[in-house]
Amino acid sequence: MNLFKTLVLKDTIEIKVTPETIWNFFYNLEKNYKAWHPKDHVSFKWTKGKPMETGSHWFAGEYILGELKKGGGIVGEVIPNRKIVFKNAFPISIVFPRFEWLIESKGSKSVFTAVSYVRAEKFMRKLASIFHHPDKKNLDTMIAAGKKHVKEEGENLKKILEKK
């Protein structure tokens, strides 16, 4: 059993817009963040550098399981109109090192994929079971909430961009 294997969570949605339209939405994320997921998103700010550029710093606040969580990080990789990788800062990076948004052209449509990485998921479960810690259940709850949130973001992005 590979205790340190990374769990990869993906959600994909087809949107009837160009990749440039999706990219522009994210380029203006400070303005679009709350509308993208009104129930959970509170704020997003580029704190150093320019939007959607490698090395730029970001900070965000959102509700996770009813609690306001704040965190930030650095943009690790950018391919304009195709890919952006966000690296979470410590201590979040211990468990959730990064997430990325992928945009693919598909004829007159685009395919948007959100990918999140959970580090050492099996190891964390093993520790929780050894110590009979309640976080074993919380990890499942957090993963389920994360999947639901990202799916809603994709659906909301589709609604917002296809309406324009």
Side-chain angles (χ1 to χ4, degrees):
M1 174 164 74
N2 185 352
L3 290 178
F4 297 98
K5 185 177 179 184
T6 300
L7 174 66
V8 179
L9 306 172
K10 284 186 180 184
D11 188 78
T12 300
I13 192 162
E14 204 169 270
I15 305 174
K16 296 176 190 170
V17 297
T18 64
E20 293 79 13
T21 300
I22 296 172
W23 188 263
N24 188 53
F25 179 87
F26 290 129
Y27 187 87
N28 293 291
L29 197 54
E30 286 184 355
K31 179 179 80 172
N32 294 328
Y33 192 67
K34 287 182 187 180
W36 185 23
H37 200 291
K39 185 178 91 177
D40 291 345
H41 287 179
V42 176
S43 62
F44 182 93
K45 180 90 173 132
W46 294 104
T47 58
K48 181 180 178 186
K50 295 181 181 177
M52 306 290 277
E53 286 189 3
T54 301
S56 291
H57 293 233
W58 56 275
F59 189 83
E62 68 182 34
Y63 283 94
I64 300 172
L65 294 171
E67 289 185 40
L68 180 61
K69 302 290 182 184
K70 295 179 180 181
I74 191 167
V75 175
E77 179 185 0
V78 173
I79 302 172
N81 300 313
R82 296 197 51 219
K83 179 179 184 179
I84 185 164
V85 177
F86 293 86
K87 293 181 173 182
N88 286 313
F90 181 83
I92 295 168
S93 62
I94 294 170
V95 179
F96 302 105
R98 71 186 188 282
F99 60 97
E100 54 193 48
W101 299 332
L102 310 171
I103 307 165
E104 298 173 67
S105 181
K106 186 178 178 186
S108 62
K109 303 174 187 173
S110 296
V111 176
F112 173 71
T113 302
V115 186
S116 300
Y117 298 87
V118 181
R119 183 179 285 152
E121 175 246 353
K122 289 181 182 177
F123 178 71
M124 292 187 311
R125 287 183 195 285
K126 188 71 173 165
L127 279 179
S129 67
I130 289 169
F131 295 107
H132 306 290
H133 198 278
D135 281 346
K136 182 177 181 188
K137 181 180 178 188
N138 289 344
L139 182 61
D140 290 330
T141 302
M142 287 181 69
I143 289 171
K147 285 181 178 180
K148 180 179 182 282
H149 178 89
V150 170
K151 184 171 185 54
E152 290 170 350
E153 285 179 336
E155 292 167 349
N156 291 348
L157 183 64
K158 179 179 177 77
K159 286 177 193 169
I160 291 166
L161 295 181
E162 288 184 355
K163 188 185 287 186
K164 289 184 177 183

PDB file of all heavy atoms in Angstrom, residues 17-28 80-82 103 105 110 161:
ATOM      1  N   VAL A  17     -18.143  28.637 -24.884  1.00  0.00           N
ATOM      2  CA  VAL A  17     -17.395  29.882 -25.081  1.00  0.00           C
ATOM      3  C   VAL A  17     -15.979  29.512 -25.497  1.00  0.00           C
ATOM      4  O   VAL A  17     -15.570  28.363 -25.408  1.00  0.00           O
ATOM      5  CB  VAL A  17     -17.353  30.762 -23.798  1.00  0.00           C
ATOM      6  CG1 VAL A  17     -18.743  31.216 -23.391  1.00  0.00           C
ATOM      7  CG2 VAL A  17     -16.662  30.044 -22.653  1.00  0.00           C
ATOM      8  N   THR A  18     -15.218  30.510 -25.914  1.00  0.00           N
ATOM      9  CA  THR A  18     -13.825  30.272 -26.298  1.00  0.00           C
ATOM     10  C   THR A  18     -12.939  30.153 -25.046  1.00  0.00           C
ATOM     11  O   THR A  18     -13.304  30.656 -23.977  1.00  0.00           O
ATOM     12  CB  THR A  18     -13.288  31.438 -27.151  1.00  0.00           C
ATOM     13  OG1 THR A  18     -13.275  32.624 -26.334  1.00  0.00           O
ATOM     14  CG2 THR A  18     -14.140  31.667 -28.392  1.00  0.00           C
ATOM     15  N   PRO A  19     -11.772  29.530 -25.184  1.00  0.00           N
ATOM     16  CA  PRO A  19     -10.836  29.502 -24.062  1.00  0.00           C
ATOM     17  C   PRO A  19     -10.462  30.913 -23.586  1.00  0.00           C
ATOM     18  O   PRO A  19     -10.284  31.134 -22.386  1.00  0.00           O
ATOM     19  CB  PRO A  19      -9.609  28.776 -24.632  1.00  0.00           C
ATOM     20  CG  PRO A  19     -10.169  27.888 -25.691  1.00  0.00           C
ATOM     21  CD  PRO A  19     -11.293  28.698 -26.298  1.00  0.00           C
ATOM     22  N   GLU A  20     -10.388  31.858 -24.509  1.00  0.00           N
ATOM     23  CA  GLU A  20     -10.048  33.245 -24.153  1.00  0.00           C
ATOM     24  C   GLU A  20     -11.100  33.865 -23.233  1.00  0.00           C
ATOM     25  O   GLU A  20     -10.766  34.661 -22.349  1.00  0.00           O
ATOM     26  CB  GLU A  20      -9.877  34.095 -25.415  1.00  0.00           C
ATOM     27  CG  GLU A  20      -8.682  33.727 -26.268  1.00  0.00           C
ATOM     28  CD  GLU A  20      -8.891  32.486 -27.167  1.00  0.00           C
ATOM     29  OE1 GLU A  20     -10.039  32.030 -27.329  1.00  0.00           O
ATOM     30  OE2 GLU A  20      -7.882  31.990 -27.691  1.00  0.00           O
ATOM     31  N   THR A  21     -12.364  33.494 -23.420  1.00  0.00           N
ATOM     32  CA  THR A  21     -13.438  34.014 -22.561  1.00  0.00           C
ATOM     33  C   THR A  21     -13.274  33.498 -21.134  1.00  0.00           C
ATOM     34  O   THR A  21     -13.423  34.253 -20.169  1.00  0.00           O
ATOM     35  CB  THR A  21     -14.820  33.616 -23.133  1.00  0.00           C
ATOM     36  OG1 THR A  21     -14.946  34.163 -24.448  1.00  0.00           O
ATOM     37  CG2 THR A  21     -15.947  34.133 -22.265  1.00  0.00           C
ATOM     38  N   ILE A  22     -12.957  32.227 -20.994  1.00  0.00           N
ATOM     39  CA  ILE A  22     -12.730  31.648 -19.664  1.00  0.00           C
ATOM     40  C   ILE A  22     -11.505  32.301 -19.031  1.00  0.00           C
ATOM     41  O   ILE A  22     -11.519  32.688 -17.870  1.00  0.00           O
ATOM     42  CB  ILE A  22     -12.572  30.113 -19.750  1.00  0.00           C
ATOM     43  CG1 ILE A  22     -13.871  29.479 -20.242  1.00  0.00           C
ATOM     44  CG2 ILE A  22     -12.165  29.541 -18.382  1.00  0.00           C
ATOM     45  CD1 ILE A  22     -13.781  27.994 -20.539  1.00  0.00           C
ATOM     46  N   TRP A  23     -10.434  32.422 -19.818  1.00  0.00           N
ATOM     47  CA  TRP A  23      -9.210  33.032 -19.316  1.00  0.00           C
ATOM     48  C   TRP A  23      -9.463  34.455 -18.828  1.00  0.00           C
ATOM     49  O   TRP A  23      -8.981  34.857 -17.765  1.00  0.00           O
ATOM     50  CB  TRP A  23      -8.141  33.026 -20.413  1.00  0.00           C
ATOM     51  CG  TRP A  23      -6.805  33.457 -19.919  1.00  0.00           C
ATOM     52  CD1 TRP A  23      -6.246  34.707 -20.010  1.00  0.00           C
ATOM     53  CD2 TRP A  23      -5.865  32.658 -19.222  1.00  0.00           C
ATOM     54  NE1 TRP A  23      -5.009  34.719 -19.426  1.00  0.00           N
ATOM     55  CE2 TRP A  23      -4.752  33.465 -18.930  1.00  0.00           C
ATOM     56  CE3 TRP A  23      -5.839  31.322 -18.817  1.00  0.00           C
ATOM     57  CZ2 TRP A  23      -3.632  32.989 -18.261  1.00  0.00           C
ATOM     58  CZ3 TRP A  23      -4.734  30.852 -18.155  1.00  0.00           C
ATOM     59  CH2 TRP A  23      -3.645  31.686 -17.886  1.00  0.00           C
ATOM     60  N   ASN A  24     -10.218  35.227 -19.581  1.00  0.00           N
ATOM     61  CA  ASN A  24     -10.532  36.603 -19.206  1.00  0.00           C
ATOM     62  C   ASN A  24     -11.306  36.649 -17.884  1.00  0.00           C
ATOM     63  O   ASN A  24     -11.080  37.538 -17.058  1.00  0.00           O
ATOM     64  CB  ASN A  24     -11.318  37.287 -20.325  1.00  0.00           C
ATOM     65  CG  ASN A  24     -11.500  38.762 -20.057  1.00  0.00           C
ATOM     66  OD1 ASN A  24     -10.550  39.488 -19.798  1.00  0.00           O
ATOM     67  ND2 ASN A  24     -12.749  39.204 -20.103  1.00  0.00           N
ATOM     68  N   PHE A  25     -12.217  35.695 -17.689  1.00  0.00           N
ATOM     69  CA  PHE A  25     -12.956  35.618 -16.428  1.00  0.00           C
ATOM     70  C   PHE A  25     -11.977  35.465 -15.261  1.00  0.00           C
ATOM     71  O   PHE A  25     -12.078  36.153 -14.248  1.00  0.00           O
ATOM     72  CB  PHE A  25     -13.933  34.439 -16.453  1.00  0.00           C
ATOM     73  CG  PHE A  25     -14.722  34.274 -15.185  1.00  0.00           C
ATOM     74  CD1 PHE A  25     -15.908  34.954 -14.998  1.00  0.00           C
ATOM     75  CD2 PHE A  25     -14.271  33.437 -14.172  1.00  0.00           C
ATOM     76  CE1 PHE A  25     -16.639  34.814 -13.813  1.00  0.00           C
ATOM     77  CE2 PHE A  25     -14.983  33.282 -12.996  1.00  0.00           C
ATOM     78  CZ  PHE A  25     -16.170  33.971 -12.821  1.00  0.00           C
ATOM     79  N   PHE A  26     -11.006  34.564 -15.409  1.00  0.00           N
ATOM     80  CA  PHE A  26     -10.041  34.333 -14.336  1.00  0.00           C
ATOM     81  C   PHE A  26      -9.018  35.457 -14.223  1.00  0.00           C
ATOM     82  O   PHE A  26      -8.548  35.757 -13.124  1.00  0.00           O
ATOM     83  CB  PHE A  26      -9.347  32.984 -14.511  1.00  0.00           C
ATOM     84  CG  PHE A  26     -10.279  31.830 -14.248  1.00  0.00           C
ATOM     85  CD1 PHE A  26     -10.395  30.799 -15.165  1.00  0.00           C
ATOM     86  CD2 PHE A  26     -11.046  31.772 -13.104  1.00  0.00           C
ATOM     87  CE1 PHE A  26     -11.257  29.736 -14.936  1.00  0.00           C
ATOM     88  CE2 PHE A  26     -11.914  30.717 -12.859  1.00  0.00           C
ATOM     89  CZ  PHE A  26     -12.012  29.700 -13.778  1.00  0.00           C
ATOM     90  N   TYR A  27      -8.693  36.080 -15.336  1.00  0.00           N
ATOM     91  CA  TYR A  27      -7.783  37.226 -15.289  1.00  0.00           C
ATOM     92  C   TYR A  27      -8.381  38.319 -14.394  1.00  0.00           C
ATOM     93  O   TYR A  27      -7.681  39.028 -13.693  1.00  0.00           O
ATOM     94  CB  TYR A  27      -7.519  37.760 -16.697  1.00  0.00           C
ATOM     95  CG  TYR A  27      -6.455  38.826 -16.729  1.00  0.00           C
ATOM     96  CD1 TYR A  27      -5.114  38.488 -16.839  1.00  0.00           C
ATOM     97  CD2 TYR A  27      -6.790  40.177 -16.619  1.00  0.00           C
ATOM     98  CE1 TYR A  27      -4.122  39.461 -16.837  1.00  0.00           C
ATOM     99  CE2 TYR A  27      -5.814  41.160 -16.621  1.00  0.00           C
ATOM    100  CZ  TYR A  27      -4.482  40.790 -16.728  1.00  0.00           C
ATOM    101  OH  TYR A  27      -3.499  41.757 -16.715  1.00  0.00           O
ATOM    102  N   ASN A  28      -9.699  38.426 -14.419  1.00  0.00           N
ATOM    103  CA  ASN A  28     -10.433  39.413 -13.618  1.00  0.00           C
ATOM    104  C   ASN A  28     -11.046  38.776 -12.367  1.00  0.00           C
ATOM    105  O   ASN A  28     -12.137  39.157 -11.932  1.00  0.00           O
ATOM    106  CB  ASN A  28     -11.522  40.069 -14.474  1.00  0.00           C
ATOM    107  CG  ASN A  28     -10.918  40.909 -15.571  1.00  0.00           C
ATOM    108  OD1 ASN A  28     -10.331  41.946 -15.308  1.00  0.00           O
ATOM    109  ND2 ASN A  28     -11.018  40.439 -16.797  1.00  0.00           N
ATOM    110  N   PRO A  80      -1.022  30.707 -20.998  1.00  0.00           N
ATOM    111  CA  PRO A  80      -2.184  31.554 -21.277  1.00  0.00           C
ATOM    112  C   PRO A  80      -3.260  30.834 -22.085  1.00  0.00           C
ATOM    113  O   PRO A  80      -2.974  30.113 -23.036  1.00  0.00           O
ATOM    114  CB  PRO A  80      -1.580  32.723 -22.054  1.00  0.00           C
ATOM    115  CG  PRO A  80      -0.179  32.816 -21.526  1.00  0.00           C
ATOM    116  CD  PRO A  80       0.238  31.378 -21.326  1.00  0.00           C
ATOM    117  N   ASN A  81      -4.493  31.038 -21.645  1.00  0.00           N
ATOM    118  CA  ASN A  81      -5.694  30.463 -22.261  1.00  0.00           C
ATOM    119  C   ASN A  81      -5.762  28.936 -22.159  1.00  0.00           C
ATOM    120  O   ASN A  81      -6.639  28.324 -22.751  1.00  0.00           O
ATOM    121  CB  ASN A  81      -5.837  30.881 -23.729  1.00  0.00           C
ATOM    122  CG  ASN A  81      -5.930  32.378 -23.868  1.00  0.00           C
ATOM    123  OD1 ASN A  81      -6.682  33.035 -23.152  1.00  0.00           O
ATOM    124  ND2 ASN A  81      -5.148  32.935 -24.771  1.00  0.00           N
ATOM    125  N   ARG A  82      -4.842  28.315 -21.384  1.00  0.00           N
ATOM    126  CA  ARG A  82      -4.842  26.850 -21.292  1.00  0.00           C
ATOM    127  C   ARG A  82      -4.688  26.305 -19.875  1.00  0.00           C
ATOM    128  O   ARG A  82      -5.305  25.305 -19.541  1.00  0.00           O
ATOM    129  CB  ARG A  82      -3.722  26.276 -22.161  1.00  0.00           C
ATOM    130  CG  ARG A  82      -3.962  26.598 -23.637  1.00  0.00           C
ATOM    131  CD  ARG A  82      -3.172  25.783 -24.601  1.00  0.00           C
ATOM    132  NE  ARG A  82      -3.270  24.377 -24.354  1.00  0.00           N
ATOM    133  CZ  ARG A  82      -2.230  23.544 -24.474  1.00  0.00           C
ATOM    134  NH1 ARG A  82      -1.056  23.981 -24.832  1.00  0.00           N
ATOM    135  NH2 ARG A  82      -2.380  22.268 -24.232  1.00  0.00           N
ATOM    136  N   ILE A 103      -7.912  24.554 -19.429  1.00  0.00           N
ATOM    137  CA  ILE A 103      -8.884  24.976 -20.446  1.00  0.00           C
ATOM    138  C   ILE A 103      -8.469  24.369 -21.770  1.00  0.00           C
ATOM    139  O   ILE A 103      -7.338  24.570 -22.219  1.00  0.00           O
ATOM    140  CB  ILE A 103      -8.929  26.521 -20.571  1.00  0.00           C
ATOM    141  CG1 ILE A 103      -9.155  27.184 -19.211  1.00  0.00           C
ATOM    142  CG2 ILE A 103     -10.003  26.946 -21.568  1.00  0.00           C
ATOM    143  CD1 ILE A 103      -8.852  28.679 -19.191  1.00  0.00           C
ATOM    144  N   SER A 105      -9.677  23.755 -25.892  1.00  0.00           N
ATOM    145  CA  SER A 105     -10.583  24.117 -26.972  1.00  0.00           C
ATOM    146  C   SER A 105     -11.207  22.840 -27.532  1.00  0.00           C
ATOM    147  O   SER A 105     -10.529  21.829 -27.705  1.00  0.00           O
ATOM    148  CB  SER A 105      -9.807  24.848 -28.068  1.00  0.00           C
ATOM    149  OG  SER A 105     -10.682  25.210 -29.104  1.00  0.00           O
ATOM    150  N   SER A 110     -15.399  25.059 -25.079  1.00  0.00           N
ATOM    151  CA  SER A 110     -14.205  24.831 -24.281  1.00  0.00           C
ATOM    152  C   SER A 110     -14.525  23.805 -23.206  1.00  0.00           C
ATOM    153  O   SER A 110     -15.670  23.683 -22.776  1.00  0.00           O
ATOM    154  CB  SER A 110     -13.741  26.116 -23.604  1.00  0.00           C
ATOM    155  OG  SER A 110     -13.360  27.074 -24.562  1.00  0.00           O
ATOM    156  N   LEU A 161     -20.816  32.528 -17.969  1.00  0.00           N
ATOM    157  CA  LEU A 161     -20.195  32.813 -19.267  1.00  0.00           C
ATOM    158  C   LEU A 161     -21.125  32.567 -20.450  1.00  0.00           C
ATOM    159  O   LEU A 161     -21.043  33.275 -21.449  1.00  0.00           O
ATOM    160  CB  LEU A 161     -18.906  31.994 -19.415  1.00  0.00           C
ATOM    161  CG  LEU A 161     -17.795  32.357 -18.430  1.00  0.00           C
ATOM    162  CD1 LEU A 161     -16.561  31.507 -18.684  1.00  0.00           C
ATOM    163  CD2 LEU A 161     -17.456  33.842 -18.473  1.00  0.00           C
TER     164      LEU A 161
END
